[in-house]
Amino acid sequence: MTFKTKPELGVEMIERAIADGLPAGLVLADSAYGDNSEFRRRVRCEGLGYAVGLHRTTTVWRLDLLGRRIGDPVAVVIWPTPSGEVAFGG
């Protein structure tokens, strides 16, 4: 058995659901997944949109098709929660 993080396990579950033919939808996740840029990137690579929680200290950048940063960080603060998360959609 190999250790995997929550985001790694989440991506595997999403990929398995797609492979099993489940209908595509919007991925919803808390900050354990949303703070992980690789999780967000892999969800987008599957052609899915997402709405995830982020901690206020997480920086999100727009990227070009080669994964390079474009402009300034995205400034999104919507629906702050008592835990310090904010909502972000991609």
Side-chain angles (χ1 to χ4, degrees), residues 26 38-50 89-90:
L26 184 67
E38 181 63 12
F39 174 82
R40 296 189 314 266
R41 186 190 71 75
R42 301 252 324 256
V43 168
R44 295 299 277 170
C45 285
E46 293 295 340
L48 301 171
Y50 58 81

Side-chain angles (χ1 to χ4, degrees), residues 21-82:
L22 292 172
L26 184 67
V27 175
L28 304 175
D30 66 20
S31 61
Y33 304 88
D35 285 341
N36 187 289
S37 61
E38 181 63 12
F39 174 82
R40 296 189 314 266
R41 186 190 71 75
R42 301 252 324 256
V43 168
R44 295 299 277 170
C45 285
E46 293 295 340
L48 301 171
Y50 58 81
V52 296
L54 298 173
H55 285 98
R56 293 181 192 275
T57 56
T58 301
T59 303
V60 177
W61 299 84
R62 286 187 178 88
L63 303 177
D64 66 13
L65 295 176
L66 298 176
R68 298 175 299 205
R69 292 179 181 174
I70 301 171
D72 295 327
V74 177
V76 178
V77 179
I78 306 170
W79 306 307
T81 66

